[in-house]
Amino acid sequence: MSEAIVITSGKGGVGKTTACANLGVALASMGYKVVLVDADIGLRNLDVVLGLENRIVYDLVDVVEGSCRLRQALIKDKRIDGLFLLPAAQTRDKTAVNPEQMEELIERLKEDHDYVLVDSPAGIEQGFRNAISGTDRALIVTTPEVSAVRDADRIIGMLESLELSDPALIVNRIKPKMVAKGDMMDISDIMDILAISLIGVVPEDEYIVISTNRGEPAALAANNSKAGQAFRNIARRISGEDVPFMDLSDTENWWSKIANFFRAK
Amino acid sequence: MAEKPDLLFRGTKNGLHLVLNGTKDFNVLKAKLKEHLNRADKFFQGADVTLDIGDAEFSLDQILELQQILATPHGLHLKKIVSGRDESKREGRRHRESGDATDRSVLGGTETEYRVRNQVTEGAFVYKGTLRSGQRISHDGDVVVVGDVNPGAEVTAGGDIIVMGSLRGLAHAGTAGAKEAVVVAFNLKPTQIRIGSAIGRPPEGDVGSREGPEVARLKDGVIVIEPLDESRWEGDW
Ligand SMILES: Nc1ncnc2c1ncn2[C@@H]1O[C@H](COP(=O)(O)OP(=O)(O)OP(=O)(O)O)[C@@H](O)[C@H]1O
Ligand SMILES: [Mg+2]
């Protein structure tokens, strides 16, 4: 029953790596065995966000080229049971791996893990094609900006033609106050264009920046940041639970609007 | 009966699927193909291409010419050629499973197939689904989209364009110079509309949203937009 999920976007810097790390932490905290695959070869940073950078010996390219065994390259997170990272190579470029090799790698990882989460590079070039290879499902991350939504649309079109059907959307960095003032696209504006299912909304949260710098993802159970909570909810939805949308009643009626949007669907 | 567009690109697991309407003039097709490849930035670089020539039969020289256009400067490899009208068999993968047509090798190599079937069709091209950013339909006749045309998507038609959904991208009707061509959408909010050589943009700023289907057409050389029900439009449909 294991599932490989790619986390991707059209525009860069919208929060894929952040989402991947946090969803990995959240799913592992729920008791699943999870491996995070950094497919952003040449620009790795999932290890940094997870605080595992100094433990890297082997990487994804080493595994694919047979320079080490898969098990040797997997880094086990010491904070949460069942969370592993397969780091990207920093000194190689994306042509070091091809889609067929990625597909085989993902298959092997699925044998031992409940979830394989693949952190994709942004855009539509070879790195993207590598990242989606072998995955069962895609999560698209966008911010509520016209350009990011446009690029997300493009990626969705490509995924559809690549037969990776039924992608779900994460809207990241939404600012309730700006939405309320009409200065930011709201969820229904975005859904109107993208017309795919919404799996979560993550607010702009300073804690993400702090936690990223510390290498301690916000979804670690010990803290109760809003973004961390949002990622934990998305993780539960990934696992098939029907989680109602956050009602953070201290932040205006904006959240209830989102909740209504979901109910209306 | 639905006709094919002149040219349609689709990505598939097995690379790029390129549909050419072989009933069209070869030089026109070549020009369109070059234009599309130039637009497609570098995404297609190095991809394998399955060429679907639909109803027509190309000469070996023509095939080689197409192969050349794909290869330089775009680095695409023509891997397979299919023809035949049946939509369900267009897909390279599915195609290989069906063995009901005359297959013969044109380019040599095991992957190359060439299916011959002659059947001329005519009418509008109907696209079902959302046309997303970066996707483009180009067709000499009328085009009907049963779905939305998103910002960044383009529809080009020799005749009319009818969008049974929201038109938010670019629509160019009457490319062949038909001044009576129209663009109709249930919700008309295009980034740009062109009819023949006239170009219309929505007015600057938020004009408040008008509800209901609208039609854009040429009036004294200028594109005007009117509610569909009120327009005293004497089209032939
Ligand atoms: N919800 C949030 N609130 C505040 N900051 C955020 C949030 N999500 C992401 N960020 C910040 O945005 C920046 C980009 O995030 P991230 O690296 O996850 O994006 P990415 O999509 O992986 O980028 P790339 O395309 O370069 O791989 C980071 O500095 C991160 O801390
Ligand atoms: Mg990243």
Side-chain angles (χ1 to χ4, degrees), chain A residues 3 63 69 170 238 264:
Chain A
E3 194 176 22
V63 175
R69 264 174 287 150
I170 297 176
I238 287 175

Side-chain angles (χ1 to χ4, degrees), chain A residues 124-126 128-129 150-151 153-158 160-164 192-196, chain B residues 10-13 41-45 47 91 93 130 132-135 148 150-152 168 191:
Chain A
I124 53 179
E125 302 199 9
Q126 164 137 21
F128 164 74
R129 291 203 258 159
R150 173 96 48 114
D151 292 350
D153 193 43
R154 177 128 200 227
I155 287 293
I156 295 164
M158 290 182 165
E160 282 171 353
S161 60
L162 291 163
E163 295 169 33
L164 202 62
D192 205 28
I193 290 178
L194 298 183
I196 60 174
Chain B
R10 285 206 320 250
T12 72
K13 267 191 186 149
D41 47 51
K42 292 201 198 83
F43 176 60
F44 296 147
Q45 203 91 40
E91 204 66 51
R93 193 164 49 84
T130 305
R132 297 185 181 274
S133 177
Q135 296 180 331
D148 296 343
N150 276 355
R168 307 187 188 91
T191 38

Side-chain angles (χ1 to χ4, degrees), chain B residues 6 16 23 48 63 65 74-75 83 89 92 113 117 132 143 152 161 184-185 198 200 203 208 216:
Chain B
D6 296 343
L16 208 57
T23 59
D48 290 333
I63 299 282
E65 239 180 295
H74 307 286
S83 89
K89 283 165 191 147
E113 289 171 60
R117 244 188 237 176
R132 297 185 181 274
V143 173
I161 295 173
V184 177

Side-chain angles (χ1 to χ4, degrees), chain A residues 54-187:
Chain A
N54 56 13
R55 294 183 38 208
I56 297 178
V57 181
Y58 297 108
D59 58 50
L60 188 150
V61 176
D62 292 321
V63 175
V64 166
E65 290 179 344
S67 323
C68 72
R69 264 174 287 150
L70 180 54
R71 283 178 133 207
Q72 293 176 291
L74 292 182
I75 300 171
K76 186 177 175 350
D77 191 295
K78 286 181 178 141
R79 296 161 296 196
I80 311 142
D81 260 356
L83 181 62
F84 298 84
L85 169 70
L86 179 58
Q90 181 71 317
T91 52
R92 303 289 294 271
D93 74 278
K94 19 187 167 284
T95 55
V97 178
N98 66 39
E100 289 73 35
Q101 292 169 321
M102 277 302 283
E103 196 168 336
E104 197 199 315
L105 178 67
I106 300 298
E107 276 311 312
R108 282 169 67 195
L109 289 166
K110 276 174 76 176
E111 286 166 15
D112 286 342
H113 300 87
D114 299 314
Y115 289 100
V116 180
L117 302 187
V118 182
D119 183 16
S120 146
I124 53 179
E125 302 199 9
Q126 164 137 21
F128 164 74
R129 291 203 258 159
N130 277 339
I132 62 174
S133 300
T135 57
D136 305 303
R137 190 174 166 195
L139 299 184
I140 318 276
V141 183
T142 185
T143 53
E145 288 163 289
V146 173
S147 60
V149 171
R150 173 96 48 114
D151 292 350
D153 193 43
R154 177 128 200 227
I155 287 293
I156 295 164
M158 290 182 165
L159 291 174
E160 282 171 353
S161 60
L162 291 163
E163 295 169 33
L164 202 62
S165 55
D166 224 11
L169 187 73
I170 297 176
V171 180
N172 187 24
R173 308 194 75 157
I174 202 147
K175 296 182 184 140
K177 284 195 179 119
M178 284 183 73
V179 173
K181 279 198 288 179
D183 292 336
M184 188 176 251
M185 289 179 94
D186 70 18
I187 301 298

Side-chain angles (χ1 to χ4, degrees), chain A residues 15-18 40 43 45 119-121:
Chain A
K16 294 177 296 297
T17 301
T18 305
D40 202 348
L43 279 173
N45 47 28
D119 183 16
S120 146

